[in-house]
Amino acid sequence: MSNVSQFYSKEHIQEQACLWISRIDRGLSPTAKQALVNWSQQKHTHYTTLLEMASYWDDLSVLNELSDLFPLERNQPKSRKLTAIVMAASIAFISLISANTLLNESFIPFLPSYKEHQLTQIQTFATKVGEQASFTLSDGSHIQLNTNTEVAINYGSNQRKLTLVRGEAQFDVNHDISRPFTVVAGEKSFTALGTIFNVQKNNEQALELVVIEGRVLIAKANEAIDVIKQSFDQPLATLLPGILVKSGEKATIAEHVDAPVQEVSLSQVQRDLAWQQGMLIFEGEPLTTALADISRYTKIHFEIIDPQIANLKVAGYFRADDIDGLIASLEINLNITSSKAPNNTILLSLAN
């Protein structure tokens, strides 16, 4: 058993408390409720920070939920613990009332909104060629970046907007109906509520969307957020300001042409997302297509010398960073020989 204790800063505890309150606002499962109670009981500062952060929230249902999770104990009416609970809950309630009824409106512009501050996040995440990385956003959503990818985060009080500047990323979205989660890529936007989806941007017009869970609305990049919010209440897909893609479906956008949404099998989804395990899967693609995909993960460039090998079919599993293994496979299975050239270039031709 380890005797090393983990210590956390005040800021880290405040961040955890805010995440818990956000989850309370969306609704907790019985398991999550017990996890919250356990976390609050680990340290007294966890509990007091939770109540402090709750005092800034503008929804009384959060305080009601906390009162249900931490009821007053009848047998200890004078204990210091109960006194602290009553005082903290009172402060939280008074803070909400005073913020909404006691303050003159002329003073409000001079008082920073803590909740608005918590909802705001402006940041950029990026990976280099051959690199992959995962990040957790301030609302609890997760993004996983593939090779040579850049995502700009711009969270506000009424929208969570991300821009896929280049590359490919998967987004695991935390549900928040009041703040739609929108990814802008090129000329299109992809908006979700509680969803897991993958977006690949090849250029401003060539995009690919795979929805793993939930649903995503494809619209114009400059579509108004109010129109997008209203669209999720539309019962008919024909009234939506774009294309609705559901779980297990894939949409391809190329040069201003939106291809029909396709249903994809589980194996196809796993193939499209194999990059998350550092793998590439090919099932009969032309050699030129396979090499273009592999080139995304390395600074090595491939040049086909013999045109007759360009359309040879490639099939198999390859590690994205294993160029030597790829070359060996091409030599054995397709009778292709390789040679190195300047500027990280590999020349490919048909063996004699």
Side-chain angles (χ1 to χ4, degrees):
M1 180 180 296
S2 173
N3 293 323
V4 179
S5 298
Q6 182 72 51
F7 292 92
Y8 296 106
S9 66
K10 180 180 179 181
E11 291 76 14
H12 177 82
I13 296 174
Q14 288 178 337
E15 180 182 351
Q16 293 298 310
C18 288
L19 289 175
W20 274 117
I21 292 169
S22 177
R23 293 178 65 185
I24 292 173
D25 197 25
R26 300 192 302 270
L28 293 178
S29 66
T31 302
K33 289 181 180 180
Q34 185 58 51
L36 172 57
V37 172
N38 294 340
W39 180 82
S40 301
Q41 292 175 346
Q42 287 177 2
K43 292 181 181 295
H44 184 64
T45 52
H46 288 188
Y47 180 76
T48 56
T49 303
L50 184 68
L51 292 180
E52 178 187 357
M53 297 299 103
S55 69
Y56 297 109
W57 213 254
D58 61 0
D59 191 343
L60 286 175
S61 64
V62 172
L63 292 177
N64 292 334
E65 182 69 26
L66 286 176
S67 66
D68 291 339
L69 290 173
F70 305 101
L72 297 178
E73 300 177 19
R74 296 180 181 178
N75 296 331
Q76 298 177 339
K78 296 182 181 181
S79 69
R80 292 176 63 186
K81 180 178 179 181
L82 293 181
T83 302
I85 295 175
V86 173
M87 289 296 293
S90 299
I91 291 172
F93 183 76
I94 291 173
S95 298
L96 287 171
I97 297 298
S98 62
N100 289 288
T101 61
L102 301 180
L103 289 176
N104 186 292
E105 291 184 359
S106 62
F107 288 96
I108 292 178
F110 301 98
L111 296 175
S113 169
Y114 186 84
K115 183 181 179 182
E116 184 174 349
H117 174 72
Q118 288 298 110
L119 296 177
T120 301
Q121 181 178 3
I122 300 177
Q123 199 168 0
T124 298
F125 298 115
T127 55
K128 300 176 182 178
V129 174
E131 182 183 27
Q132 296 176 346
S134 298
F135 303 95
T136 300
L137 305 182
S138 59
D139 66 330
S141 297
H142 301 274
I143 58 175
Q144 185 171 355
L145 274 56
N146 199 357
T147 175
N148 193 25
T149 296
E150 180 179 349
V151 176
I153 316 296
N154 189 354
Y155 274 19
S157 58
N158 68 338
Q159 183 184 18
R160 296 171 289 173
K161 182 179 178 180
L162 300 86
T163 301
L164 180 60
V165 180
R166 66 176 187 273
E168 180 178 15
Q170 177 174 297
F171 305 88
D172 187 345
V173 184
N174 223 353
H175 179 77
D176 186 349
I177 195 170
S178 66
R179 293 196 304 155
F181 187 102
T182 299
V183 176
V184 175
E187 299 179 352
K188 297 294 183 180
S189 68
F190 306 87
T191 301
L193 291 177
T195 303
I196 303 176
F197 63 102
N198 190 91
V199 178
Q200 179 176 337
K201 177 183 177 183
N202 298 318
N203 57 51
E204 294 300 306
Q205 291 83 36
L207 308 165
E208 185 177 283
L209 166 72
V210 177
V211 179
I212 298 98
E213 181 181 303
R215 55 181 183 163
V216 174
L217 176 68
I218 305 176
K220 295 180 181 179
N222 59 356
E223 190 69 73
I225 185 59
D226 291 338
V227 174
I228 291 176
K229 280 185 177 181
Q230 295 170 5
S231 70
F232 283 98
D233 296 325
Q234 293 287 355
L236 299 176
T238 55
L239 300 178
L240 295 173
I243 302 172
L244 190 64
V245 184
K246 296 175 290 184
S247 175
E249 293 182 340
K250 178 178 180 178
T252 302
I253 301 162
E255 302 298 335
H256 307 289
V257 177
D258 298 349
V261 175
Q262 305 173 350
E263 289 190 8
V264 291
S265 64
L266 178 60
S267 61
Q268 288 175 303
V269 171
Q270 291 174 340
R271 172 191 165 190
D272 287 336
L273 303 182
W275 63 266
Q276 297 174 13
Q277 283 73 48
M279 299 295 296
L280 297 175
I281 302 176
F282 300 110
E283 297 178 343
E285 286 81 0
L287 178 61
T288 51
T289 301
L291 292 178
D293 200 8
I294 292 168
S295 295
R296 297 168 54 207
Y297 298 84
T298 177
K299 294 182 179 180
I300 294 176
H301 304 285
F302 298 94
E303 183 177 340
I304 296 178
I305 303 301
D306 291 336
Q308 56 185 320
I309 69 172
N311 292 321
L312 291 178
K313 305 301 182 182
V314 178
Y317 294 73
F318 301 88
R319 287 201 59 83
D321 57 354
D322 185 11
I323 302 301
D324 291 338
L326 169 69
I327 297 300
S329 179
L330 294 178
E331 291 177 350
I332 294 172
N333 296 289
L334 298 180
N335 195 32
I336 292 176
T337 185
S338 65
S339 60
K340 293 184 178 181
N343 301 321
N344 287 326
T345 300
I346 294 180
L347 306 178
L348 300 176
S349 58
L350 190 64
N352 295 327

